[in-house]
């Protein structure tokens, strides 16, 4: 079976070169006579992988020294809880922006642990738009302001970030490493790995010293950011396979040209799809406010749900997989992360044009 | 490089057949044209892997229907916190047995979240022994009694379990699936994957209905057992690679003969090493009470620390890796989990005999 083009929202396609390396090293990592996943996490090779991944991340993001990079098991969903467990309490307040399905989960966890102000609520607009960042201010007593940089289900994406007084805490799960950003506005950035970073089962957390110092004491060991920083992401046995794969993906991204390359490619991939939708706007329709359309998740509708089902089915038969929209909103969605080759997007654009010609 | 014999305490050696399957399927899972780690966790192949792994686990353990099998990211260390977060509060009490380094971590997390009775404390005996299980009773008001079935660092292992009134909550990380056990005494069993189950980055949690019903409300989503049960281990994106590997390891274990085979092999492997120590008891010494010596982690001392260092170094050069004792206790340790072939143990026993002959 040849490799097919995989437009899943995540887990999603990974660079072929990375998969080939994982395959070739599966029984013998660099002449050690064992797999990297069979080695003690205290061994030199595993520690070197962790150190390399941290250094690559710092370099790609141009991180100042007052930020710490953590790789943690449990995914971004655990972070929805860990953030307020560490940073909120009954005497503290956080601002949250409600931009869609993922923001909603983050808000739900925070509400049980402290005072939450929802400073933007997109529900009345069905989460098809976002606020002008310059209008978003934090409350005077906010410990942080939380936002979701990209909503995979709605297909909306912050193009710039608020310049608010409170440090921003951002769930960047679905567009992390797809563009440069000014990290100095952020106190904590987190992302599940399974979009642009590697396989599912790991979250990257980047935390600034001043937020680290504000963390609550007395938490269970695994739930304390301080413990993970002190343990250099090896407070406990980490998900070694994911660490290894993340390091390979970051190396691959460096070779491609880093975040500038990622941003340029994201614009090209998403541009081609949005252009195709516009060109056939009697057939395809993107419901998202043009100012906030995601470069990662292109959502679109066809004239009927029957045609959408047929589109997904025929695309799948043509080697274009994973185009069904999220079950909560329906429609179609093409997720086009860093690892999606341009040929995949061109094949999809061609298929869309043909399909519109036949059924439009 | 030929495969070497890896005696690491965990992550540890995996079945060669499992690694070969992972290698062969890395770019194309069963003709789908993509890797299993690139697929949506809502896809049929990934759901089938989860379902198979759950069924195999139920079958291997002969689990009654009132138990739920969960596969969760974060490892056993997260469970140290999740258990008291779910089952304790300021009005509830739990009994804990303090058998060594791992029990200590579990106790530390519980103490912050409820009332903890330490019903056995092995610290005075340097954790080299355990209590007679028939003497271990639970407190009248205990929600559960916690024990650590095997301590990887000390090398002590419960050979039978208390018949106490409270349900037992057991950390079986390092000897899970190495022997049959009467699950009816247990309310919750958990284990990090990286010994007998698969690669690091996943914990299996087996929870009984009555304990599930006692779980506290209002926890962050990821930290609630109820949420994970409702989501069939897919409340969030799980560590798909580990799920896949666990399923392969369980299939391999079934093929070998299940827990009866595992128990027999564990007795043979550990028996050969303890016999070798006894045969050369002027040179090797096992500090652990003979009644509680682990079948998974054989710890032993040599006449001096210099000889221990030389032993570890020469063994490594002979293709016998990972024999250094834990940094907190020193000495030597051979970890011999299900995947360790008998040839590896025979090679080690031969090396030990030769080394004692040369230096004894």
């Amino acid at each position: 079976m040849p490799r097919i083009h995989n437009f899943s929202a995540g887990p999603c396609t990974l660079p072929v070169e990375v998969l080939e390396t994982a395959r070739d090293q599966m029984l013998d990592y660099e002449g050690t006579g064992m797999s990297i996943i069979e080695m003690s996490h205290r061994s030199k090779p595993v520690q070197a992988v962790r150190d390399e991944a941290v250094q690559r991340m710092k370099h790609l993001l141009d991180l100042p020294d007052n930020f710490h990079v953590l790789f943690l098991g449990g995914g971004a969903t655990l972070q929805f809880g860990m953030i307020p467990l560490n940073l909120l309490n009954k005497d503290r307040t956080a601002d949250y922006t409600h931009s869609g399905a993922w923001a909603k989960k983050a808000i739900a966890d925070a509400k049980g642990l402290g005072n939450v102000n929802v400073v933007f609520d997109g529900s009345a607009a069905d989460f098809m738009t976002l606020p002008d960042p310059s209008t978003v201010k934090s409350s005077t007593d906010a410990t942080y302001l939380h936002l979701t940089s990209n909503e995979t289900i709605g297909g909306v994406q912050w193009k710039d970030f608020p310049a608010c007084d409170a440090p921003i805490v951002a769930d960047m799960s679905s567009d992390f490493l797809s563009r440069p950003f000014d990290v100095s506005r952020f106190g904590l950035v987190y992302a599940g790995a399974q979009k642009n970073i590697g396989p599912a089962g790991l979250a990257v957390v980047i935390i600034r010293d001043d937020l680290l110092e504000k963390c609550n004491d007395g938490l269970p060991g695994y739930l304390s950011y301080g413990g993970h920083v002190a343990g250099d992401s090896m407070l406990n046995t980490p998900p070694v396979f994911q660490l290894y794969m993340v390091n390979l993906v970051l190396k691959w991204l460096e070779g491609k040209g880093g975040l500038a390359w990622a941003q340029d490619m994201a614009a090209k991939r998403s541009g081609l799809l949005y252009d195709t939708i516009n060109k056939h706007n009697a057939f395809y329709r993107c419901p998202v406010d043009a100012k906030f359309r995601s470069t990662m998740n292109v959502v679109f509708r066809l004239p009927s749900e029957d045609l959408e089902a047929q589109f997904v089915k025929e695309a799948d038969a043509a080697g274009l997989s994973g185009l069904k929209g999220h079950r909560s909103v329906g429609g179609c969605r093409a997720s086009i992360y860093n690892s999606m080759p341009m040929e995949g997007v061109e094949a999809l654009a061609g298929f869309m044009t043909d399909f519109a010609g036949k059924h439009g």
Side-chain angles (χ1 to χ4, degrees), chain A:
Chain A
M1 179 76 188
R3 296 258 311 164
I4 56 109
H5 293 300
N6 173 12
F7 295 91
S8 284
C12 64
T13 197
L14 291 165
V16 176
E17 301 92 315
V18 168
L19 293 171
E20 286 171 344
T21 302
R23 176 195 64 196
D24 295 344
Q25 297 186 326
M26 187 55 76
L27 278 93
D28 181 12
Y29 179 73
E30 297 190 345
T32 55
M34 58 178 110
S35 180
I36 187 98
I37 59 174
E38 298 180 296
M39 285 181 200
S40 168
H41 55 299
R42 308 285 176 202
S43 67
K44 279 181 193 164
V46 177
Q47 301 253 333
V49 163
R50 187 267 324 271
D51 292 344
E52 274 181 40
V54 168
Q55 286 311 314
R56 288 187 206 282
M57 194 66 87
K58 286 185 172 175
H59 183 250
L60 279 162
L61 295 170
D62 198 14
L63 281 188
D65 286 342
N66 58 336
F67 284 88
H68 305 270
V69 175
L70 299 174
F71 295 107
L72 305 181
T77 299
L78 177 57
Q79 298 309 312
F80 294 157
M82 272 181 72
I83 288 161
L85 276 168
N86 278 272
L87 292 170
L88 283 189
N89 54 50
K90 64 180 176 50
D91 300 320
R92 286 195 191 155
T93 296
D95 294 330
Y96 274 73
T97 55
H98 186 10
S99 51
W102 295 106
K104 188 178 175 184
K105 287 173 193 266
I107 292 168
D109 276 5
K111 276 194 171 164
L113 296 162
N115 305 298
V116 171
N117 283 332
V118 176
V119 295
F120 164 76
D121 185 344
S123 59
D126 276 340
F127 305 112
M128 290 295 105
T129 189
L130 289 171
D132 177 342
S134 69
T135 67
V136 176
K137 307 289 172 200
S138 51
S139 313
T140 47
D141 58 347
T143 304
Y144 60 86
L145 180 142
H146 183 280
L147 61 81
T148 310
S149 60
N150 182 75
E151 288 278 357
T152 48
I153 295 175
V156 291
Q157 182 179 37
W158 292 80
K159 300 301 174 182
D160 192 10
F161 300 106
C164 53
D165 293 328
I168 301 176
V169 169
D171 175 4
M172 290 199 181
S173 290
S174 54
D175 66 356
F176 190 60
L177 300 187
S178 76
R179 53 177 168 169
F181 62 96
D182 174 11
V183 76
S184 70
R185 296 196 206 167
F186 295 81
L188 191 154
V189 171
Y190 63 107
Q194 66 270 18
K195 320 291 185 181
N196 283 321
I197 322 177
L202 179 140
V204 59
V205 175
I206 293 166
I207 186 168
R208 207 170 61 190
D209 276 336
D210 55 314
L211 281 210
L212 196 59
E213 281 159 21
K214 281 189 190 151
C215 286
N216 294 315
D217 292 326
L219 293 169
Y222 194 87
L223 299 176
S224 155
Y225 288 123
H228 288 294
V229 169
D232 272 341
S233 298
M234 293 205 185
L235 172 74
N236 69 327
T237 314
V240 174
F241 178 74
Q242 282 80 351
L243 254 184
Y244 161 74
M245 293 292 279
V246 165
N247 187 43
L248 291 177
V249 170
L250 297 182
K251 188 179 170 186
W252 169 86
L253 181 57
E254 284 175 349
K256 289 288 186 184
L259 302 193
W261 172 84
Q263 185 173 38
D264 180 51
M265 285 303 302
K268 283 185 178 139
R269 288 189 208 95
S270 60
L272 177 55
L273 294 184
Y274 288 123
D275 284 351
T276 304
I277 291 166
N278 287 341
K279 223 179 272 177
H280 306 277
N281 60 12
F283 191 75
Y284 298 111
R285 181 175 57 84
C286 173
V288 180
D289 183 348
K291 293 194 299 293
F292 300 106
R293 287 182 181 173
S294 172
T295 57
M296 298 284 109
N297 310 98
V298 176
V299 303
F300 53 100
R301 305 300 308 238
L302 273 66
S304 73
E305 290 186 10
D306 284 349
L307 277 168
E308 287 168 347
Q310 193 179 342
F311 177 91
V312 170
K313 197 178 160 185
E314 290 186 15
D316 194 59
L320 305 165
S321 165
L323 289 162
K324 194 173 171 186
H326 191 267
R327 62 196 184 286
S328 63
V329 295
C332 298
R333 172 177 56 173
S335 296
I336 42 174
Y337 302 111
N338 285 353
S339 309
M340 170 58 67
M342 198 63 204
E343 308 88 85
V345 182
E346 285 162 359
L348 174 57
F351 178 85
M352 288 173 73
T353 300
D354 290 351
F355 194 88
K358 270 187 230 161
H359 301 280

